[in-house]
């Protein structure tokens, strides 16, 4: 089902009191098992309700709701609840007709329930008239599960005639419709999808419980197919061997302190005179290389002059060719130099300021706002069999659908950033304004970025995987943060040639914004996070740009009690408990920030940082946690004492 306005896309169902309830609201803020049944008088549905009722308490103990949507009227739904004592929530779609007086063939021509159609649930004569349905139906009757005929419209009967399935004139709903079962939420998130292929075709109740609770029958953590799909898609068990550019920040232990760049005020520029390569050694352009390049220019130019003279015997023409060849070769060399010269890590004086942040308003969107926008942009569908498509719920992405002009979200504004004429000259002559931009967040191209990132957060970070080396989700704080709706995303579009120095001021500007966002105190502050996505940073430059910005800004974040993490597909940082697991990989290059916790001590003391930097880290750590009783606090005090005593 495609097209229409946002208002038309937001479907409603009726509760047993006849009150309209937005369909999406059923899972927007909670996790539920959502079961679609054929109609309220169906024997197959009576059996399915009984099976679901048997695991109601188990689902409830895992904070999972049980919701059923059937075809029929609110009055019939109330009577069904009374007859079955169903403990979950029952809703109905009353838009279909069960009038079979004109025959099954005519019913098949009627439009289906839009609610069922949005979930791509099957409908047709073959759904009802087939050998499997007949066989299952017979066994159910033998087991005591009869069609609830009192919920059907009673036919005109002759004296002594009783109501049977053969003389029913009107069922509560479409008899050709079959249902399905899903595990949804919170938000646009699907962990299980089963679409019945015929009447009586239902999923295993064990499979539903496993998907809903995340626990196998034996109590072992369930690895979701979508989680495993992300694991494979990001190659999280593979060490990436893609070559890293020489201007990557120094992230490996270095034997000499002078070869380890300080985080602040280290400046990542393409024109630094004191440079450090990825191997930790100085690498300025050599004089022989420059002399060789100049020789080539002269040889080629003189050759062009000689060729022109030999061909025309005209001195003036030969001179013109000679001059033009000089200019052309000079421009070519300049172009090649400015695009191939490796940017380097420099260590300027402490007075050097970082590059100012770009000028633009950034809007931060939490998961509920993202979900609402995805619905509004018509990007919803449910399909758990693929990675990206497991995020949206109902409709597929359709560029013809109207997009809202309203963009709710938390707005932040950063300071202006424009390359001055002097800085442009220093950066290789690129005398132009270089700024980031945020495109309209809900244009079609960026909608996919938001969806993929939220899918990754929900399907991978919030789920367990054995490669982590411990029980629980990959990132322990994410499930509760999602429940609190306290994760914020923004997408920043950049030039392909963006430098780390140009993003430094921007990223630092998020510190104040983050600290001023709720919650600002108490235990819940640990569940607040901002993810900044940079989809235009080329993968081959992710180490240089993303890791470079994180390396440069980490001191500022730690000093404010925050952590800044770098994520991209080539990140080779291993897990704490599994050296062959590389968890810091995301579908798009990203930087994520959150509050520091005691367990972050392990990220503050690696030898990749100079001793002075480690001291600053530890002092900041103890300023926030020094009075608390944590093992990490004792370790931090010991490490700080050792560093100040001259130890490494």
């Amino acid at each position: 089902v495609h097209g229409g306005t946002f208002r038309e896309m937001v479907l409603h169902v009726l509760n047993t009191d006849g009150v309209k309830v937005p369909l999406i609201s059923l899972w927007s803020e909670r996790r539920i098992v959502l079961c679609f049944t054929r109609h309220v008088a169906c024997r197959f549905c009576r059996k399915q309700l009984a099976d679901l009722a048997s695991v109601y308490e188990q689902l409830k103990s895992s904070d999972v709701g049980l919701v059923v949507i059937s075809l029929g009227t609110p009055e019939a739904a109330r009577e069904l609840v009374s007859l079955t004592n169903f403990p979950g929530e029952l809703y109905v779609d009353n838009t279909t007709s069960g009038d079979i007086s004109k025959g099954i063939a005519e019913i098949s021509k009627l439009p289906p329930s839009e609610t069922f159609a949005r979930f791509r649930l099957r409908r047709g004569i073959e759904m009802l008239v087939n050998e499997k349905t007949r066989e299952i139906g017979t066994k159910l009757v033998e087991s005591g599960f009869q069609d609830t005929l009192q919920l059907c419209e009673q036919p005109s009967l002759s004296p002594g005639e009783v109501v049977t399935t053969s003389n029913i004139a009107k069922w509560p709903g479409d008899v050709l419709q079959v249902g399905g079962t899903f595990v949804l939420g919170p938000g646009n998130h699907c962990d299980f999808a089963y679409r019945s292929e015929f009447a009586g075709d239902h999923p295993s109740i064990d499979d539903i419980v496993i998907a809903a609770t995340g626990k196998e029958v034996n109590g072992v953590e369930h690895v979701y197919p979508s989680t495993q799909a992300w694991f494979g898609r990001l190659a999280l068990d593979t060490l990436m061997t893609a070559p890293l550019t020489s201007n990557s920040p120094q992230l490996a232990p270095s034997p000499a302190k002078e070869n380890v760049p300080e985080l602040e005020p280290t400046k990542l520029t393409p024109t630094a005179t004191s440079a450090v390569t990825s191997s930790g050694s100085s690498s300025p352009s050599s004089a022989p290389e420059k002399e060789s390049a100049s020789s080539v220019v002269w040889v080629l130019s003189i050759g062009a002059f000689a060729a022109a003279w030999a061909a025309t015997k005209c001195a003036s023409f030969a001179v013109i060719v000679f001059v033009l060849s000089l200019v052309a070769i000079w421009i070519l060399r300049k172009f090649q130099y400015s695009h191939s010269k490796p940017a380097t890590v420099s260590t300027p004086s402490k007075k050097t300021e970082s590059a100012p942040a770009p000028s633009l308003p950034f809007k931060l969107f939490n998961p509920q706002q993202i979900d609402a926008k995805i619905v509004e942009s018509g990007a919803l569908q449910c399909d758990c069999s693929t990675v990206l498509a497991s995020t949206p719920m109902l409709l597929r992405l359709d560029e013809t659908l109207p997009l809202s002009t309203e963009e709710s979200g938390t707005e932040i504004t950063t300071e202006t950033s424009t390359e001055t004429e002097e800085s442009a000259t220093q950066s290789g002559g690129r005398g132009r304004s270089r700024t980031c931009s945020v495109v309209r967040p809900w244009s079609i191209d960026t909608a996919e970025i938001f969806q993929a990132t939220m899918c990754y957060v929900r399907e991978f970070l919030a789920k367990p995987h054995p490669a982590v080396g411990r029980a629980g989700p990959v990132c322990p704080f994410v499930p509760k943060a999602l429940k609190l709706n306290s994760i914020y995303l923004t997408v920043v579009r950049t030039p392909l040639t963006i430098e780390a120095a140009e993003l430094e001021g921007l990223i630092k500007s998020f510190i104040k914004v983050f600290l001023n966002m709720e919650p600002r105190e108490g235990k819940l502050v640990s569940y607040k996070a901002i993810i900044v996505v940079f989809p235009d940073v080329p993968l081959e430059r992710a180490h240089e740009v993303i890791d470079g910005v994180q390396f440069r800004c980490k001191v500022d974040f730690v000093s404010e009690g925050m952590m800044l993490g770098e994520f991209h597909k080539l990140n080779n940082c291993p897990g704490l408990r599994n050296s062959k697991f590389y968890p810091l990989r995301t579908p798009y290059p990203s930087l994520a920030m959150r509050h520091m916790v005691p367990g972050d001590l392990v990220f503050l003391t690696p030898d990749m940082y100079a001793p002075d930097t480690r001291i600053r880290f530890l002092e900041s750590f103890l300023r926030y946690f020094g009075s608390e009783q944590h093992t990490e606090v004792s370790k931090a005090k010991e490490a700080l004492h050792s560093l100040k005593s001259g130890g490494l």
Side-chain angles (χ1 to χ4, degrees), residues 511 514-515 557-558 560-564 593-596:
I511 295 176
F514 179 89
L515 295 175
F557 277 78
V558 172
E560 296 292 343
M562 298 172 60
M563 296 296 291
L564 180 68
M593 56 200 75
R594 59 171 174 81
H595 272 288
M596 185 164 53

Side-chain angles (χ1 to χ4, degrees), residues 421-456:
E421 186 174 333
E422 179 182 358
S423 65
T425 302
Q426 292 177 350
S427 60
R430 291 171 291 179
R432 60 184 180 87
S433 174
R434 290 171 56 80
T435 60
C436 303
S437 65
V438 173
V439 300
R440 184 161 169 259
W442 297 106
S443 59
I444 294 299
D445 59 338
T446 51
E448 181 178 341
I449 298 168
F450 277 101
Q451 287 190 79
T453 303
M454 280 308 307
C455 179
Y456 161 80

Side-chain angles (χ1 to χ4, degrees), residues 334-584:
K334 189 69 175 178
F335 177 82
Q336 290 176 334
Y337 182 74
S338 65
H339 284 73
S340 63
K341 176 184 176 183
T344 54
V345 178
S346 66
T347 309
S349 66
K350 292 185 177 181
K351 293 183 179 181
T352 303
E353 297 180 356
S354 61
S359 172
L360 54 122
F362 287 90
K363 290 184 183 255
L364 301 174
F365 294 87
N366 61 39
Q368 289 182 11
Q369 291 168 331
I370 292 172
D371 290 341
K373 286 293 183 180
I374 294 300
V375 174
E376 187 172 348
S377 64
L380 293 180
Q381 75 179 23
C382 180
D383 185 354
C384 299
S385 63
T386 60
V387 175
L388 178 59
S390 64
T391 298
M393 267 327 152
L394 301 174
L395 298 170
R396 70 173 175 82
L397 194 63
D398 188 337
E399 295 192 22
T400 65
L401 293 176
L403 300 178
S404 171
T405 56
E406 297 179 0
E407 296 171 356
S408 59
T410 302
E411 181 173 328
I412 66 171
T413 304
T414 59
E415 298 176 358
T416 302
S417 170
T418 304
E419 270 193 3
T420 63
E421 186 174 333
E422 179 182 358
S423 65
T425 302
Q426 292 177 350
S427 60
R430 291 171 291 179
R432 60 184 180 87
S433 174
R434 290 171 56 80
T435 60
C436 303
S437 65
V438 173
V439 300
R440 184 161 169 259
W442 297 106
S443 59
I444 294 299
D445 59 338
T446 51
E448 181 178 341
I449 298 168
F450 277 101
Q451 287 190 79
T453 303
M454 280 308 307
C455 179
Y456 161 80
V457 170
R458 286 167 164 157
E459 296 287 359
F460 183 72
L461 292 184
K463 298 293 176 61
H465 195 281
V468 177
R470 56 158 172 76
V474 173
C475 183
F477 101 98
V478 167
K480 189 166 184 177
L482 287 171
K483 189 173 182 179
L484 293 171
N485 201 38
S486 57
I487 297 178
Y488 294 85
L489 273 68
T490 191
V491 174
V492 177
R493 310 311 296 256
T494 63
L496 296 178
T497 56
I498 194 73
E499 302 289 348
E502 296 174 272
L503 293 178
E504 182 179 352
L506 164 65
I507 294 303
K508 288 180 180 179
S509 71
F510 278 92
I511 295 176
K512 185 177 180 180
V513 173
F514 179 89
L515 295 175
N516 287 332
M517 293 169 59
E518 297 293 343
R520 289 186 287 182
E521 57 184 15
K523 294 182 179 180
L524 294 183
V525 297
S526 298
Y527 298 98
K528 180 172 64 176
I530 293 177
I531 301 174
V532 186
V533 185
F534 298 93
D536 301 315
V537 172
L539 187 57
E540 63 272 15
R541 299 189 67 234
H543 183 65
E544 167 195 346
V545 177
I546 301 300
D547 296 359
V549 173
Q550 189 268 353
F551 192 81
R552 295 162 61 86
C553 296
K554 187 170 180 177
V555 164
D556 295 82
F557 277 78
V558 172
S559 67
E560 296 292 343
M562 298 172 60
M563 296 296 291
L564 180 68
E566 73 284 13
F567 299 84
H568 54 82
K569 289 181 180 178
L570 296 183
N571 193 315
N572 281 331
C573 292
L576 295 176
R577 297 169 181 82
N578 182 356
S579 61
K580 295 183 179 180
F581 172 52
Y582 308 97
L584 303 186

Side-chain angles (χ1 to χ4, degrees), residues 30-33 48-68 84-90 205 208-209 212-213:
R30 60 174 178 164
R31 186 170 179 79
I32 66 169
V33 170
Q48 194 167 21
L49 287 181
D51 290 341
L52 292 171
S54 70
V55 296
Y56 172 76
E57 292 298 332
Q58 187 176 354
L59 296 174
K60 184 179 178 181
S61 65
S62 297
D63 199 22
V64 179
L66 177 57
V67 179
V68 171
T84 61
N85 294 315
F86 179 65
E89 303 170 31
L90 181 61
I205 199 68
I208 295 173
V209 172
T213 64

